[in-house]
Amino acid sequence: MEAAAGGGCGSGPPLLLSEGEQQCYSELFARCAGAAGGGPGSGPPEAARTVPGTVTAAAGPVADLFRASQLPAETLHQITELCGAKRVGYFGPTQFYIALKLIAAAQSGLPVRIESIKCELPLPRFMMSKTDAEIRFGNPAELHGTKVQIPYLITEKNTFKRMDDEDKQQETQSPTMSPLASPPSSPPHYQRVPLSHGYSKLRSSTEQMHPAPYEARQPLVQPEGPSSGAPGAKPPRHKASLIRSFSVEREPHDNSSNYPDEPWRITEEQREYYVNQFRSLQPDPSSFISGSVAKNFFTKSKLSIPELSYIWELSDADCDGALTLPEFCAAFHLIVARKNGYPLPEGLPPTLQPEYLQAAFPKPKRECTLFDSYSESMPANQQPRDLNRMEKLSIKDTADFPVPTQDVTSDDKQEQNKTRLALKSTADEALPKDMSEDPATSKDSNSLKARPRSRSYSSTSIEEAMKRGEDPPTPPPRPQKTHSRASSLDLNKVFQPSVPATKSGLLPPPPALPPRPCPSQMSKPRHRELQEFPQGHPQQSEQVSEAEIHPQLNRAPSQVAESSPTKKDIPHSQPPSKPIRRKFRPENSATESQEPPSTVGPVSAASGKPHAAVQKQSSKQKKAIQTAIRKNKEANAVLARLNSELQQQLKEVHQERIALENQLEQLRPVTVL
Amino acid sequence: MAVCVAVIAKENYPLYIRSIPTENELKFHYMVHTSLDVVDEKISAMGKALVDQRELYLGLLYPTEDYKVYGYVTNSKVKFVMVVDSSNTALRDNEIRSMFRKLHNSYTDVMCNPFYNPGDRIHSRAFDSMVTSMMIQVC
């Protein structure tokens, strides 16, 4: 290199370089040249004009390097002029070395003159990476250099995967652009990380970051870079571009974190990124990633296996072979740090401890996001399911839904667990239980931010549910009170407008009965009479019939005549069903006394013209009543038949059961040995 | 307390072997190697009974003039061998057991690491530090 430089040194004054200077300069030149030689489109036109065979440094990286020297732009211009780059149009080795020497001179306070470089000068100072600084320049600002690497931690991590895919393509992108662009907008502050930058910039910058560790470890490889040429020298190219980026980075801001822990602190953006990556591997943020999954993921970082193994050792605090979210973030962060040249710590830094991370970040975010998802979905249906997913706790079956709500009404974490348990259990049971328990659980979770959201949703849903629940059950109140679970099931069916189950089948018969008497608008005895039949209570019928008898007897025979056709209808409907006969037996017995008058009645009615004449007005009503009575009786008959059939079935089932039990008893002594 | 700690794989090749560097380490390697026969003997002797009854701690494998060799076998036939200085006044059996238990726990942690392929040499720093703590106590 130096020989070539000397050979190519036609345009500049003779350079006397000390050994140390030679080393530094050659390395710097290699980097700049490597970067230039790497991308076909990256080099500025000057590179294209170079004589084939001459290695030149692209103006871009060189400019960056010069800027890193923290000299004013004017001085840099002078230097470039003096070194001859402008004259020849490119930065050959000679020019480059002269420029570096001039920079050194300028930094040591000497005027920028060719003569200055003839004397011995200290090495030019650049805001370079820590490794370079330590090795070569003894940069006092090396600390800043290391800090500066931090912002790229994120950028690199962001484009982890992309780097893998587009590693080769990245190099062709204008590396010159990114370093220039990034420093002004991305001060090395940890928080203000260039996450906001376009991914292209990130890619290039991260690509530059990529070789940092390699460079740190393999400084010797660099001189080989330019010699090996573009195609086969991706890593050296990386290194060159990397150093460039570093050099650029250094210049602006040294104000970044001076705290020793700073590299190990996770910023909000980083945290979000890690959480997203976690989610991509494992949708449930409260669960963990298995070892194999994590291994595949982290292997993409292209760190060596021993290093990854060590990082895992550090981050998996409980050594269970799986990573929870805080553990994952810690591991990710360590990988990012390592990729950016940070030596791995001996022990897990306090800011990366799972407890710290959990305290600092996770719950509000984790559960906020979770509950966001809840809020989006139907609160009634999906909340219990989401909560189920969230909880690792096993299901405990709660007996009645009032019970878990009582258990839940206290404000401990354990209670929260119980609420979760309750929530989980309710998910297994009917939905209305969930809704009823949600307000209880939401009351408990005061500590969590997102819970109020659920509260709002759950409370409204529960109110609606309760309202809805109240309406249908009113018709059959009594059956519900006896079965609490059944009630919840009924509520469940209430909310699901689909088929009501058998229990809801209880509804029709009872409510059907009361409306029947409604059509009858006649006098009270007739009401009583009509009511008597549908209800089918013998006692009531007896009472009614007795009550009926008296008014009938007291009233005109016309009424008896009216009652007679009804009674005639009754006997017709009686034969198919015995219970009806039972019902009507007391009626018959009660009405036996009426029979003579009834038998007399039709005779009298048939012959009683004056009766018919008087009864014209009430006949229509009577007909209406009679039709209503017939309908009711028919329905009654049908139900009575059903009842009898079911009773028969029940008897048969009982008999079968008895037979089976006998068989079982017979078999038992046989099997027991 | 221990002068040499070794972890031997099922196929009887060392996964991890470390000794106090003061002396000829090869001697310790040789002792560990010869102890493997004793370990196998003990395993086979107990193996006739149900495997569950076989205890992991094998106890004193064989004593030499200067050293005592203790052994421990896991259920996956990974052997831990520990060489202890005889001059060290009687290390109680319980202490040896506890040391083996610690070894076993650390080994389990190493296995939990997904980046560790069973059968590789153990490079875990945590494991190293644990072994160091065991060996440092000799002084």
Side-chain angles (χ1 to χ4, degrees):
Chain A
M1 269 294 279
E2 286 77 12
C9 169
S11 52
L15 266 183
L16 296 171
L17 296 173
S18 65
E19 274 189 17
E21 286 176 344
Q22 273 186 1
Q23 247 186 350
C24 310
Y25 296 170
S26 64
E27 188 201 347
L28 283 173
F29 185 78
R31 291 174 197 166
C32 295
S42 64
E46 288 88 346
R49 278 189 250 146
T50 60
V51 177
T54 318
V55 186
T56 61
V62 172
D64 298 335
L65 184 65
F66 289 172
R67 264 184 234 110
S69 65
Q70 293 187 322
L71 292 174
E74 230 183 61
T75 319
L76 292 175
H77 282 308
Q78 276 185 328
I79 289 171
T80 44
E81 270 186 30
L82 282 174
C83 74
K86 292 234 166 135
R87 203 165 354 117
V88 301
Y90 59 89
F91 265 111
T94 325
Q95 290 77 33
F96 191 76
Y97 294 160
I98 294 170
L100 289 175
K101 195 94 185 199
L102 285 169
I103 288 172
Q107 283 178 342
S108 41
L110 296 173
V112 180
R113 294 282 183 268
I114 298 294
E115 296 75 19
S116 323
I117 62 174
K118 289 183 181 170
C119 51
E120 283 195 19
L121 289 165
L123 294 173
R125 288 188 299 277
F126 296 94
M127 306 302 285
M128 303 290 284
S129 68
K130 176 169 112 179
T131 57
D132 302 329
E134 285 173 350
I135 296 167
R136 291 178 191 100
F137 296 106
N139 194 342
E142 57 181 287
L143 287 175
H144 301 296
T146 60
K147 302 307 175 193
V148 169
Q149 295 185 32
I150 298 165
Y152 286 101
L153 291 176
I154 294 78
T155 65
E156 157 151 348
K157 227 21 186 183
N158 284 338
T159 63
F160 230 26
K161 305 300 169 296
R162 297 179 189 240
M163 277 168 54
D164 303 332
D165 303 331
E166 302 164 312
D167 220 0
K168 297 161 191 176
Q169 301 171 12
Q170 303 305 332
E171 301 159 19
T172 64
Q173 288 188 11
S174 56
T176 59
M177 288 305 299
S178 57
L180 293 174
S182 47
S185 48
S186 68
H189 256 294
Y190 224 39
Q191 286 69 20
R192 283 176 267 156
V193 144
L195 275 178
S196 51
H197 291 311
Y199 265 99
S200 59
K201 292 180 191 168
L202 290 177
R203 280 178 214 149
S204 43
S205 59
T206 56
E207 183 201 358
Q208 295 154 8
M209 301 299 296
H210 200 8
Y214 300 105
E215 171 157 356
R217 287 180 249 145
Q218 306 161 7
L220 302 172
V221 182
Q222 289 170 3
E224 303 169 4
S227 57
S228 53
K234 284 179 193 175
R237 240 179 293 142
H238 285 306
K239 291 168 198 169
S241 57
L242 171 64
I243 296 199
R244 223 187 321 120
S245 70
F246 278 139
S247 61
V248 175
E249 274 305 295
R250 289 325 147 13
E251 52 173 43
H253 312 273
D254 303 325
N255 55 351
S256 73
S257 43
N258 297 321
Y259 309 109
D261 253 359
E262 212 49 44
W264 309 118
R265 280 188 189 277
I266 302 183
T267 64
E268 283 294 321
E269 292 160 329
Q270 287 177 315
R271 173 98 196 169
E272 273 185 38
Y273 181 73
Y274 298 156
V275 172
N276 288 336
Q277 290 294 322
F278 184 94
R279 287 237 186 87
S280 71
L281 297 174
Q282 161 66 274
D284 181 6
S286 70
S287 176
F288 33 73
I289 296 181
S290 73
S292 49
V293 172
K295 176 179 177 179
N296 293 334
F297 181 77
F298 289 135
T299 314
K300 294 180 192 172
S301 72
K302 300 196 177 172
L303 285 178
S304 65
I305 296 293
E307 289 201 345
L308 288 170
S309 174
Y310 182 58
I311 286 173
W312 178 280
E313 236 182 76
L314 286 177
S315 57
D316 190 5
D318 47 5
C319 291
D320 57 357
L323 293 180
T324 62
L325 182 60
E327 287 176 348
F328 177 85
C329 292
F332 215 139
H333 200 70
L334 286 169
I335 287 178
V336 167
R338 188 73 191 103
K339 296 234 55 137
N340 287 280
Y342 275 92
L344 289 173
E346 288 301 315
L348 195 62
T351 52
L352 289 181
Q353 301 275 351
E355 300 81 15
Y356 175 87
L357 287 173
Q358 267 186 353
F361 290 100
K363 274 185 184 176
K365 272 204 175 181
R366 213 195 299 175
E367 296 185 357
C368 275
T369 51
L370 274 176
F371 280 95
D372 280 334
S373 65
Y374 297 158
S375 61
E376 291 164 10
S377 60
M378 281 293 297
N381 294 328
Q382 298 201 9
Q383 260 185 356
R385 291 176 211 154
D386 290 338
L387 290 165
N388 281 337
R389 263 193 292 122
M390 196 172 86
E391 303 308 322
K392 305 179 196 177
L393 301 170
S394 60
I395 299 171
K396 282 187 194 175
D397 216 1
T398 58
D400 298 332
F401 76 92
V403 174
T405 56
Q406 292 167 8
D407 291 339
V408 145
T409 52
S410 57
D411 291 331
D412 285 340
K413 269 194 181 178
Q414 293 177 354
E415 294 307 319
Q416 283 179 7
N417 287 339
K418 278 188 196 172
T419 65
R420 291 171 193 166
L421 284 173
L423 286 169
K424 215 181 186 195
S425 61
T426 54
D428 297 333
E429 298 181 11
L431 284 174
K433 277 196 185 183
D434 302 334
M435 288 190 236
S436 58
E437 292 189 15
D438 279 337
T441 63
S442 58
K443 287 172 203 166
D444 291 337
S445 52
N446 294 326
S447 60
L448 303 171
K449 289 181 193 174
R451 292 272 185 166
R453 284 180 226 164
S454 70
R455 217 182 286 169
S456 63
Y457 283 101
S458 60
S459 58
T460 54
S461 67
I462 286 157
E463 288 166 3
E464 292 169 4
M466 295 311 294
K467 285 173 192 169
R468 274 184 258 161
E470 283 170 7
D471 295 336
T474 46
R478 283 170 198 173
Q480 268 203 337
K481 284 177 187 175
T482 56
H483 318 280
S484 57
R485 268 192 198 172
S487 65
S488 66
L489 287 172
D490 289 339
L491 286 175
N492 194 4
K493 286 149 198 162
V494 161
F495 301 133
Q496 296 170 359
S498 58
V499 184
T502 57
K503 295 209 177 181
S504 61
L506 289 172
L507 296 175
L513 301 176
R516 283 179 202 165
C518 298
S520 66
Q521 299 166 358
M522 290 307 292
S523 58
K524 291 179 186 178
R526 305 228 171 80
H527 283 294
R528 282 181 228 155
E529 182 182 342
L530 293 166
Q531 285 173 0
E532 161 196 352
F533 298 138
Q535 285 175 359
H537 286 290
Q539 295 177 354
Q540 291 181 10
S541 60
E542 281 179 355
Q543 295 166 0
V544 173
S545 58
E546 287 174 8
E548 185 186 19
I549 291 166
H550 298 294
Q552 283 180 352
L553 293 172
N554 293 333
R555 288 193 186 175
S558 63
Q559 293 178 355
V560 176
E562 290 171 7
S563 65
S564 62
T566 63
K567 286 174 189 173
K568 282 182 184 176
D569 290 335
I570 296 166
H572 289 300
S573 62
Q574 274 182 358
S577 58
K578 296 177 185 177
I580 292 179
R581 287 182 195 166
R582 284 186 222 143
K583 290 174 202 169
F584 288 102
R585 277 176 205 159
E587 290 175 10
N588 293 334
S589 61
T591 55
E592 277 176 0
S593 58
Q594 294 177 5
E595 282 180 2
S598 65
T599 53
V600 172
V603 173
S604 62
S607 59
K609 292 179 184 176
H611 297 297
V614 176
Q615 292 174 10
K616 280 179 187 176
Q617 294 178 355
S618 58
S619 63
K620 295 174 188 175
Q621 294 172 349
K622 289 174 195 174
K623 286 175 188 174
I625 292 167
Q626 287 167 11
T627 52
I629 290 171
R630 281 175 206 166
K631 288 176 191 172
N632 289 332
K633 285 177 185 174
E634 285 166 11
N636 197 13
V638 168
L639 289 172
R641 279 178 217 166
L642 265 176
N643 189 9
S644 63
E645 287 171 3
L646 288 171
Q647 284 179 354
Q648 287 173 359
Q649 285 181 4
L650 181 60
K651 286 177 189 173
E652 289 168 9
V653 167
H654 274 304
Q655 288 169 359
E656 285 175 15
R657 185 188 160 196
I658 291 166
L660 285 170
E661 280 179 353
N662 287 332
Q663 286 181 1
L664 182 62
E665 286 176 4
Q666 289 169 4
L667 288 170
R668 266 186 199 161
V670 178
T671 54
V672 173
L673 291 173
Chain B
M1 307 206 183
V3 244
C4 174
V5 172
V7 178
I8 318 283
K10 182 178 172 184
E11 293 81 13
N12 288 337
Y13 63 87
L15 296 175
Y16 181 90
I17 182 159
R18 186 156 148 226
S19 42
I20 292 181
T22 52
E23 300 186 21
N24 187 5
E25 294 181 32
L26 198 57
K27 183 176 66 173
F28 292 126
H29 290 215
Y30 178 69
M31 287 173 71
V32 169
H33 191 271
T34 53
S35 68
L36 290 178
D37 279 335
V38 186
V39 170
D40 281 338
E41 195 184 314
K42 293 218 175 204
I43 293 175
S44 62
M46 291 197 290
K48 288 175 186 175
L50 289 175
V51 183
D52 297 338
Q53 297 175 359
R54 182 165 61 79
E55 202 186 290
L56 303 179
Y57 176 68
L58 302 174
L60 182 66
L61 297 177
Y62 70 92
T64 63
E65 191 179 331
D66 299 321
Y67 301 103
K68 296 180 192 170
V69 182
Y70 291 90
Y72 182 97
V73 167
T74 68
N75 284 323
S76 54
K77 299 284 172 46
V78 172
K79 302 150 186 106
F80 300 121
V81 176
M82 190 183 328
V83 181
V84 175
D85 200 335
S86 287
S87 58
N88 211 348
T89 49
L91 276 175
R92 292 170 60 190
D93 201 46
N94 285 339
E95 293 168 7
I96 307 283
R97 281 179 194 261
S98 71
M99 285 160 74
F100 274 123
R101 204 174 308 124
K102 280 200 295 184
L103 264 175
H104 198 171
N105 288 335
S106 298
Y107 178 72
T108 313
D109 291 343
V110 167
M111 292 296 281
C112 282
N113 191 333
F115 297 102
Y116 172 76
N117 300 317
D120 290 352
R121 300 205 65 129
I122 296 175
H123 296 288
S124 157
R125 290 194 210 182
F127 193 83
D128 278 341
S129 61
M130 190 273 304
V131 171
T132 312
S133 72
M134 276 173 36
M135 293 171 58
I136 280 176
Q137 296 168 24
V138 178
C139 312

